[in-house]
Amino acid sequence: MSDFWVTEHLAAGGLVAVLEDWTPPFPGLRLYYPRHRHITAGLRAFVDLLREENRSGAKSSVSR
């Protein structure tokens, strides 16, 4: 799970990070999917959603 979706829940104690030694941090998002000439509409919508969430998260952290 990407940090920007759970940071507040971790800080509030609603979630607990596990296996931190096995998940080194890295900036940004990574999404792997089969390389086909055409991707499905559902996958395209998901990729677009992640990109928008990433932009929104970056903007809100800058404005804080």
Side-chain angles (χ1 to χ4, degrees), residues 1-54:
M1 173 94 16
S2 295
D3 289 346
F4 67 87
W5 280 336
V6 297
T7 301
E8 292 177 24
H9 299 286
L10 288 168
L15 293 176
V16 177
V18 295
L19 301 175
E20 290 184 80
D21 293 340
W22 296 93
T23 55
F26 61 90
L29 297 171
R30 304 292 187 269
L31 178 64
Y32 297 95
Y33 53 90
R35 293 194 78 169
H36 293 286
R37 209 165 83 167
H38 303 293
I39 63 172
T40 65
L43 180 55
R44 169 56 42 210
F46 182 65
V47 169
D48 291 344
L49 171 72
L50 289 178
R51 285 183 177 154
E52 184 58 34
E53 286 290 325
N54 190 39

